[in-house]
mmCIF file of all heavy atoms in Angstrom:
data_model
loop_
_atom_site.group_PDB
_atom_site.id
_atom_site.type_symbol
_atom_site.label_atom_id
_atom_site.label_comp_id
_atom_site.label_asym_id
_atom_site.label_seq_id
_atom_site.Cartn_x
_atom_site.Cartn_y
_atom_site.Cartn_z
ATOM 1 N N THR A 194 -2.626 -15.529 -18.228
ATOM 2 C CA THR A 194 -3.783 -14.957 -17.540
ATOM 3 C C THR A 194 -4.920 -15.968 -17.540
ATOM 4 O O THR A 194 -5.133 -16.666 -18.543
ATOM 5 C CB THR A 194 -4.242 -13.644 -18.210
ATOM 6 O OG1 THR A 194 -5.481 -13.226 -17.638
ATOM 7 C CG2 THR A 194 -4.398 -13.815 -19.705
ATOM 8 N N PRO A 195 -5.643 -16.080 -16.426
ATOM 9 C CA PRO A 195 -6.747 -17.043 -16.363
ATOM 10 C C PRO A 195 -8.022 -16.559 -17.050
ATOM 11 O O PRO A 195 -9.022 -17.280 -17.044
ATOM 12 C CB PRO A 195 -6.970 -17.211 -14.857
ATOM 13 C CG PRO A 195 -6.546 -15.903 -14.271
ATOM 14 C CD PRO A 195 -5.417 -15.417 -15.131
ATOM 15 N N TYR A 196 -7.971 -15.368 -17.619
ATOM 16 C CA TYR A 196 -9.175 -14.787 -18.211
ATOM 17 C C TYR A 196 -9.047 -14.728 -19.731
ATOM 18 O O TYR A 196 -7.939 -14.628 -20.271
ATOM 19 C CB TYR A 196 -9.414 -13.390 -17.638
ATOM 20 C CG TYR A 196 -9.527 -13.391 -16.135
ATOM 21 C CD1 TYR A 196 -8.451 -13.007 -15.339
ATOM 22 C CD2 TYR A 196 -10.697 -13.815 -15.504
ATOM 23 C CE1 TYR A 196 -8.540 -13.026 -13.954
ATOM 24 C CE2 TYR A 196 -10.785 -13.845 -14.124
ATOM 25 C CZ TYR A 196 -9.712 -13.452 -13.353
ATOM 26 O OH TYR A 196 -9.804 -13.487 -11.998
ATOM 27 N N PRO A 197 -10.171 -14.765 -20.425
ATOM 28 C CA PRO A 197 -10.098 -14.767 -21.899
ATOM 29 C C PRO A 197 -9.562 -13.464 -22.472
ATOM 30 O O PRO A 197 -8.886 -13.467 -23.495
ATOM 31 C CB PRO A 197 -11.550 -15.013 -22.326
ATOM 32 C CG PRO A 197 -12.384 -14.605 -21.149
ATOM 33 C CD PRO A 197 -11.556 -14.932 -19.943
ATOM 34 N N GLN A 198 -9.856 -12.326 -21.821
ATOM 35 C CA GLN A 198 -9.378 -11.068 -22.359
ATOM 36 C C GLN A 198 -7.905 -10.855 -21.991
ATOM 37 O O GLN A 198 -7.495 -11.083 -20.857
ATOM 38 C CB GLN A 198 -10.213 -9.879 -21.886
ATOM 39 C CG GLN A 198 -10.370 -9.742 -20.379
ATOM 40 C CD GLN A 198 -11.607 -10.416 -19.865
ATOM 41 O OE1 GLN A 198 -11.779 -11.606 -20.058
ATOM 42 N NE2 GLN A 198 -12.456 -9.660 -19.179
ATOM 43 N N PRO A 199 -7.087 -10.419 -22.943
ATOM 44 C CA PRO A 199 -5.659 -10.202 -22.675
ATOM 45 C C PRO A 199 -5.424 -8.877 -21.965
ATOM 46 O O PRO A 199 -6.304 -8.015 -21.893
ATOM 47 C CB PRO A 199 -5.050 -10.188 -24.077
ATOM 48 C CG PRO A 199 -6.140 -9.633 -24.934
ATOM 49 C CD PRO A 199 -7.433 -10.157 -24.344
ATOM 50 N N ILE A 200 -4.222 -8.707 -21.453
ATOM 51 C CA ILE A 200 -3.810 -7.440 -20.848
ATOM 52 C C ILE A 200 -3.260 -6.538 -21.941
ATOM 53 O O ILE A 200 -2.458 -6.962 -22.775
ATOM 54 C CB ILE A 200 -2.737 -7.672 -19.772
ATOM 55 C CG1 ILE A 200 -3.295 -8.525 -18.639
ATOM 56 C CG2 ILE A 200 -2.233 -6.347 -19.221
ATOM 57 C CD1 ILE A 200 -2.261 -8.896 -17.598
ATOM 58 N N SER A 201 -3.691 -5.283 -21.920
ATOM 59 C CA SER A 201 -3.219 -4.304 -22.900
ATOM 60 C C SER A 201 -2.420 -3.212 -22.202
ATOM 61 O O SER A 201 -2.457 -3.070 -20.978
ATOM 62 C CB SER A 201 -4.402 -3.680 -23.642
ATOM 63 O OG SER A 201 -5.175 -2.886 -22.747
ATOM 64 N N ALA A 202 -1.703 -2.425 -22.999
ATOM 65 C CA ALA A 202 -0.992 -1.274 -22.441
ATOM 66 C C ALA A 202 -1.966 -0.286 -21.815
ATOM 67 O O ALA A 202 -1.658 0.352 -20.801
ATOM 68 C CB ALA A 202 -0.161 -0.597 -23.529
ATOM 69 N N ALA A 203 -3.151 -0.147 -22.405
ATOM 70 C CA ALA A 203 -4.169 0.737 -21.825
ATOM 71 C C ALA A 203 -4.575 0.255 -20.438
ATOM 72 O O ALA A 203 -4.774 1.065 -19.526
ATOM 73 C CB ALA A 203 -5.389 0.800 -22.745
ATOM 74 N N ASN A 204 -4.691 -1.059 -20.260
ATOM 75 C CA ASN A 204 -5.000 -1.598 -18.936
ATOM 76 C C ASN A 204 -3.912 -1.253 -17.932
ATOM 77 O O ASN A 204 -4.197 -0.903 -16.778
ATOM 78 C CB ASN A 204 -5.150 -3.117 -18.986
ATOM 79 C CG ASN A 204 -6.301 -3.590 -19.839
ATOM 80 O OD1 ASN A 204 -6.223 -4.633 -20.478
ATOM 81 N ND2 ASN A 204 -7.390 -2.834 -19.875
ATOM 82 N N LEU A 205 -2.662 -1.358 -18.351
ATOM 83 C CA LEU A 205 -1.553 -1.047 -17.451
ATOM 84 C C LEU A 205 -1.582 0.419 -17.040
ATOM 85 O O LEU A 205 -1.373 0.752 -15.869
ATOM 86 C CB LEU A 205 -0.218 -1.378 -18.121
ATOM 87 C CG LEU A 205 0.038 -2.853 -18.471
ATOM 88 C CD1 LEU A 205 1.345 -2.995 -19.231
ATOM 89 C CD2 LEU A 205 0.053 -3.717 -17.227
ATOM 90 N N MET A 206 -1.867 1.312 -17.977
ATOM 91 C CA MET A 206 -1.831 2.741 -17.675
ATOM 92 C C MET A 206 -3.035 3.207 -16.866
ATOM 93 O O MET A 206 -2.942 4.206 -16.145
ATOM 94 C CB MET A 206 -1.715 3.549 -18.972
ATOM 95 C CG MET A 206 -0.348 3.427 -19.619
ATOM 96 S SD MET A 206 -0.092 4.597 -20.977
ATOM 97 C CE MET A 206 -1.137 3.874 -22.237
#
Side-chain angles (χ1 to χ4, degrees):
T194 171
Y196 303 101
Q198 54 267 58
I200 297 175
S201 67
N204 296 146
L205 297 175
M206 289 190 287

